[in-house]
Amino acid sequence: MSGESNGKLTEAATVKKMELIPEIKFTKLFINGQFVDSVSGKTFETIDPRTGDVITKVAQGIKEDIDLAVQAARDAFDDGPWPRLSGANVQLYNVYADDQQRRRILMKLADLIDANAEELAALDAIDGGKLFHDGKNIDIPGAAETFRYYAGVADKIHGETLKMSREFQAYTLREPIGVVGHIIPWNFPTQMFAMKVGPALAAGCTMIVKPAEQTPLSALYCAHLTKLAGIPDGAVNVVTGYGPVAGAAISSHMDIDKVSFTGSTEVGRLVMQAAAMSNLKQVSLELGGKSPVIIFDDAELDKAVDLALLGSLYNKAKICVAGSRVFVQEGIYVEFVKKLEEKVRLWVVGDPFDVDSQQGPQVEKKQFEKILSYIEHGKREGATLLAGGKRFGQKGFYIQPTIFTDVKDDMIIAKEEIFGPVMSVLKFKTTGEVIRRANATKYGLAAGVITNNLDTANTVSRSIRAGVIWINCYFAFDRDSPYGGYKMSGFGRDMGIDGLDKYLHAKSVATPIYNSPWL
Ligand code: ADP
């Protein structure tokens, strides 16, 4: 890979980085607190996207394994301690010692994640091509903080006193929804685990996690940490395997109460269909996006270019909220494109363990080829290729950061989610026009607005039909900030208190007031 114009990888760096590659400790299914082989004894290969080589073989869960995991989670929910620890309103007594309370255990899990940040970051780097230093310093500490955030609400889950009519007193209880199936993608493996498992555990649910087949390793490692933290057996189960088999067995299971899915819109539709055709389990879906970043004439140019690059290239654009449609107002369009061309040359693609790398490899060959075919579409459709447009290097699944300008709304690259480092730049004249064009998509996950005019920022923020709006920033995620989609980007929210609510039922309890003159 050395010798590439924008790569900085050297042989010496490669040798040093090998020391960071972790020993793979967990490759079996985690069911009822034990690591076990799959029922069939089958395994599947997980691949290092830096080279295309096999890292290891992981247990391949099928329907029978999901059945075992669901049984463990059901027993843990119906008879186990987890939903009954302090913080849940399902029992009025707490027979467990203070140190077994949910808040404390989740805090301990967070500390364990922090203590193992380097190993988890390294697993996500070799399995998913994620930048090791971002993982160690941002993603993994972020996952630990997510567990702390939900630990903090675990003992504050309560209902309301209801007004009712005068003859009754009534209140609501917030109760855990039951057994949850989490089906998660490969783009943020450890963070996604925390984002789903944290609130569901805080609510008192028990669960089965099905990590993406491309990135099973960190979820299995986290399973081991849940055990060390003291989460009771059966409360968290991790079943690795293929989506159409293990994932589908979750969405169609008759004894799962909720499925929380993050992934593609196509698979989201299958999950919802399976939920409807089985036991009508609750569904929340966080799906694809084609988010606009809207840059107005009054924006500070350098900042706007940096945000556009960040929005469309961060995490090699393997992020559903990627700002892949960059609308630039006509007054600064030419200057913006010039600066973009200068700055993208400085963007460093390279091994995810290299501290200078800003972009690692795409997760797998299939995605890599799909992205390259979208790039070919862009070329054929007549957009101007400003930068990139090819694979990067000769080995692994690296792609050059690619920018198309003069993109038209009806081009495929402007309409479909590419899930790769490909930015489309589109020109606009007026605020009304850009609102209409930005909204002309089946998706509605996020949007960026870059302007110094408060009225413009407010008008656009209220007019864009998307779940998250970032004004003069991008990817401003926080544990306290819920996110999720409008339209075909899904429904239900992750993170924040909304992210907890989706794992809770509200139960109304009413009782007559016997001394009421009306009874
Ligand atoms: P992406 O486009 O991000 O790869 P997918 O929607 O294909 O997203 O995958 C996200 C998650 O959904 C993964 O864990 C995958 O295994 C799972 N999955 C894939 N197909 C199905 C299916 N038919 N039913 C349930 N889950 C599935």
Side-chain angles (χ1 to χ4, degrees):
M1 218 170 309
S2 44
E4 288 284 344
S5 60
N6 53 351
K8 290 196 175 172
L9 200 65
T10 64
E11 283 305 310
T14 307
V15 172
K16 209 167 126 225
K17 285 189 298 276
M18 291 307 286
E19 292 160 20
L20 293 168
I21 293 179
E23 176 200 345
I24 309 296
K25 297 174 184 151
F26 307 103
T27 57
K28 295 185 178 186
L29 311 180
F30 185 72
I31 298 178
N32 207 16
Q34 307 298 323
F35 283 100
V36 293
D37 288 320
S38 60
V39 170
S40 68
K42 283 192 184 159
T43 56
F44 65 99
E45 293 173 341
T46 187
I47 306 290
D48 181 344
R50 300 172 310 154
T51 57
D53 295 342
V54 177
I55 305 169
T56 189
K57 289 182 178 175
V58 175
Q60 190 185 140
I62 56 173
K63 185 181 174 304
E64 286 72 13
D65 301 288
I66 294 291
D67 286 343
L68 291 174
V70 173
Q71 191 57 55
R74 174 55 60 196
D75 291 346
F77 187 78
D78 290 346
D79 303 315
W82 189 252
R84 289 158 193 87
L85 294 180
S86 164
N89 291 321
V90 291
Q91 298 274 331
L92 295 177
Y93 58 89
N94 175 12
V95 294
Y96 296 94
D98 202 31
D99 66 355
Q100 285 180 289
Q101 287 176 355
R102 291 209 293 268
R103 178 171 56 80
R104 288 181 176 227
I105 295 175
L106 290 176
M107 285 290 193
K108 191 163 172 199
L109 177 56
D111 291 345
L112 285 165
I113 288 175
D114 271 337
N116 291 278
E118 195 154 308
E119 211 163 333
L120 281 165
L123 288 176
D124 283 345
I126 53 164
D127 215 11
K130 290 186 64 70
L131 298 180
F132 170 74
H133 293 275
D134 274 8
K136 186 179 152 197
N137 300 314
I138 303 169
D139 294 12
I140 309 300
E145 277 306 305
T146 298
F147 276 108
R148 283 191 194 96
Y149 177 88
Y150 288 110
V153 291
D155 58 356
K156 300 171 193 69
I157 296 169
H158 51 73
E160 294 176 318
T161 307
L162 307 178
K163 195 155 167 278
M164 299 282 285
S165 58
R166 275 192 265 178
E167 294 84 359
F168 292 94
Q169 96 161 343
Y171 58 92
T172 55
L173 292 172
R174 305 302 309 277
E175 296 187 343
I177 213 161
V179 175
V180 178
H182 299 291
I183 303 176
I184 60 181
W186 38 262
N187 54 352
F188 288 88
T190 306
Q191 276 185 315
M192 203 58 80
F193 184 93
M195 199 185 288
K196 301 283 189 192
V197 171
L201 278 176
C205 294
T206 61
M207 61 210 71
I208 300 96
V209 182
K210 212 292 289 166
E213 46 271 54
Q214 297 86 347
T215 54
L217 299 178
S218 56
L220 292 172
Y221 196 97
C222 287
H224 155 71
L225 298 183
T226 64
K227 177 113 179 167
L228 291 186
I231 290 173
D233 291 351
V236 176
N237 304 275
V238 177
V239 178
T240 48
Y242 291 114
V245 180
I250 289 179
S251 17
S252 61
H253 207 282
M254 292 302 286
D255 206 18
I256 290 182
D257 300 297
K258 173 172 185 108
V259 61
S260 175
F261 172 81
T262 299
S264 60
T265 298
E266 300 73 50
V267 175
R269 193 194 295 274
L270 294 177
V271 167
M272 198 165 164
Q273 205 171 24
M277 298 308 286
S278 52
N279 63 342
L280 285 171
K281 61 181 68 61
Q282 281 199 21
V283 176
S284 60
L285 303 175
E286 203 264 276
L287 307 175
K290 191 75 188 173
S291 300
V293 176
I294 306 173
I295 300 169
F296 286 87
D297 279 347
D298 65 6
E300 205 260 288
L301 199 62
D302 271 295
K303 185 175 171 185
V305 171
D306 290 344
L307 284 174
L309 283 170
L310 175 80
S312 61
L313 299 182
Y314 173 69
N315 201 42
K316 54 237 155 144
K318 284 181 356 184
I319 181 162
C320 43
V321 288
S324 49
R325 286 186 298 151
V326 177
F327 289 94
V328 183
Q329 203 162 16
E330 59 181 1
I332 55 164
Y333 186 86
V334 173
E335 235 184 315
F336 179 91
V337 168
K338 193 161 156 262
K339 191 135 255 174
L340 193 61
E341 192 176 10
E342 283 164 27
K343 290 206 175 199
V344 75
R345 285 185 199 288
L346 306 175
W347 190 264
V348 183
V349 183
D351 190 294
F353 286 99
D354 191 323
V355 74
D356 292 326
S357 292
Q358 290 170 287
Q359 183 188 315
Q362 305 308 127
V363 74
E364 60 171 0
K365 191 159 187 271
K366 196 174 97 194
Q367 289 286 335
F368 168 79
E369 285 169 352
K370 194 170 157 197
I371 296 162
L372 289 175
S373 88
Y374 272 119
I375 292 174
E376 290 311 310
H377 265 300
K379 292 177 188 168
R380 276 203 303 276
E381 284 179 308
T384 306
L385 184 67
L386 185 76
K390 289 193 293 218
R391 79 179 296 172
F392 177 91
Q394 305 308 320
K395 207 162 96 176
F397 310 135
Y398 296 85
I399 292 185
Q400 294 176 341
T402 297
I403 300 178
F404 284 106
T405 56
D406 306 315
V407 177
K408 303 285 173 261
D409 294 358
D410 59 354
M411 291 179 178
I412 286 173
I413 53 167
K415 288 199 298 197
E416 293 186 15
E417 184 179 40
I418 299 177
F419 230 46
V422 183
M423 183 199 295
S424 291
V425 183
L426 307 98
K427 197 194 290 182
F428 75 93
K429 282 192 170 86
T430 68
T431 306
E433 171 207 336
V434 79
I435 290 171
R436 182 182 48 74
R437 291 172 60 196
N439 277 333
T441 164
K442 62 183 177 186
Y443 296 116
L445 206 46
V449 189
I450 319 235
T451 177
N452 285 318
N453 184 316
L454 192 59
D455 283 342
T456 306
N458 286 335
T459 304
V460 176
S461 305
R462 285 169 183 245
S463 310
I464 297 292
R465 295 196 28 84
V468 188
I469 309 286
W470 288 306
I471 302 171
N472 292 330
C473 59
Y474 211 78
F475 297 133
F477 283 115
D478 190 90
R479 281 146 286 285
D480 201 31
S481 171
Y483 86 94
Y486 281 34
K487 301 193 273 182
M488 286 178 75
S489 291
F491 52 86
R493 294 291 178 264
D494 280 321
M495 306 297 268
I497 301 302
D498 296 53
L500 173 79
D501 283 347
K502 71 182 193 184
Y503 300 110
L504 292 166
H505 275 308
K507 177 187 275 179
S508 295
V509 182
T511 180
I513 300 169
Y514 287 106
N515 61 3
S516 159
W518 290 276
L519 290 175

